[in-house]
Amino acid sequence: MEGLKGLLRHVPAYVLLQRVVGADKLRYRCIDEVKAGETVLDIGCGPAYYFPRLPQPLKYHGFDTDAPYIDWATQHFGGENASFHCGIFDEAAARSLPQIDVVLLLGLLHHLSDEQCTDLLNLAASVLSPGGRVVSVDTCFEPSQGRISRWMSENDRGEYVRDPAGFEKLALQSFGQVEGEVINDVTHIPASYWMMRMTAPSSL
Ligand SMILES: C[S@@+](CC[C@H](N)C(=O)[O-])C[C@H]1O[C@@H](n2cnc3c(N)ncnc32)[C@H](O)[C@@H]1O
């Protein structure tokens, strides 16, 4: 397992594995939430290999703490309307941005502790335009999953894989409206994910 986790730090290997297991289709499901002409913030964007599937025109801001991922994304997709930044998405970063229509948190929350999730979701809520939304998707534990799917969840790189109620509770601290669904039919190997659409920031 450690070998696989190390390999995933190699960007082409990460992108290839995402496609092989069908995790790209999971991302495309989330990206369907974005409309042409919108401004998108992608926190924990990784190499953003799904960027070409975003509707155009669009303004895009990607943040990730991993320099090789950001370098790869910049090289492949960077341009006048797409910028990639290496670092934690913090208050200073939030203040540097225009109002955001869609915040993407694709595969991020299950890497963060409850406290880190709360801080990040509050920050995401603070950058939204009126009517803006936050879309997240994460590996989860859910009652209908079989043994292979459960094994996948137990062995995910993220240390904070939760059940849907756990993710929802965190989201409801920052948003008045949270809709969620289990997605377990998109990847080529059995795996369960929890996708959330968060609107109506509580701070407004
Ligand atoms: C599982 S990867 C998902 C990457 C990409 N969104 C995708 O779906 O392929 C999670 C990413 O979040 C990044 N990350 C973790 N904590 C972060 C933080 N506080 N701020 C920005 N990025 C973070 C990691 O470096 C990693 O690339």
Side-chain angles (χ1 to χ4, degrees):
M1 230 31 217
E2 281 313 307
L4 177 62
K5 289 177 182 178
L7 185 66
L8 291 178
R9 291 194 196 101
H10 181 60
V11 183
Y14 174 81
V15 175
L16 179 66
L17 188 75
Q18 296 290 302
R19 296 199 200 287
V20 168
V21 302
D24 52 346
K25 296 194 183 68
L26 181 71
R27 271 64 180 171
Y28 302 156
R29 185 85 76 93
C30 299
I31 283 171
D32 283 348
E33 295 285 330
V34 179
K35 299 188 197 82
E38 292 192 312
T39 300
V40 174
L41 166 63
D42 188 358
I43 308 176
C45 62
Y49 65 88
Y50 39 76
F51 182 87
R53 288 290 287 254
L54 285 162
Q56 295 294 335
L58 153 130
K59 291 202 187 306
Y60 175 99
H61 306 269
F63 284 79
D64 202 287
T65 48
D66 188 298
Y69 282 163
I70 288 296
D71 291 346
W72 193 91
T74 303
Q75 203 180 329
H76 286 77
F77 312 122
E80 197 183 328
N81 290 323
S83 59
F84 295 89
H85 313 269
C86 188
I88 290 183
F89 183 73
D90 56 13
E91 279 187 32
R95 278 198 301 272
S96 74
L97 295 175
Q99 286 200 319
I100 300 294
D101 300 308
V102 185
V103 177
L104 298 174
L105 306 174
L106 307 184
L108 179 59
L109 295 179
H110 71 283
H111 288 273
L112 305 182
S113 68
D114 284 6
E115 195 183 344
Q116 290 171 318
C117 284
T118 301
D119 290 347
L120 185 70
L121 290 170
N122 282 336
L123 210 48
S126 76
V127 300
L128 286 183
S129 62
R133 58 254 182 233
V134 177
V135 178
S136 70
V137 73
D138 288 277
T139 306
C140 73
F141 290 113
E142 49 95 6
S144 77
Q145 71 190 145
R147 277 169 49 198
I148 298 175
S149 171
R150 176 156 288 271
W151 186 90
M152 294 293 289
S153 299
E154 285 166 352
N155 288 282
D156 193 281
R157 280 196 296 169
E159 289 177 52
Y160 300 93
V161 176
R162 303 172 173 92
D163 60 14
F167 284 115
E168 212 164 48
K169 187 174 163 201
L170 290 167
L172 282 166
Q173 290 176 353
S174 308
F175 296 89
Q177 199 170 346
V178 178
E179 294 158 24
E181 63 173 308
V182 170
I183 300 178
N184 54 15
D185 59 353
V186 290
T187 49
H188 304 312
I189 41 174
S192 288
Y193 302 92
W194 179 245
M195 177 177 162
M196 290 190 292
R197 190 172 183 280
M198 300 161 242
T199 50
S202 311
S203 55
L204 290 184

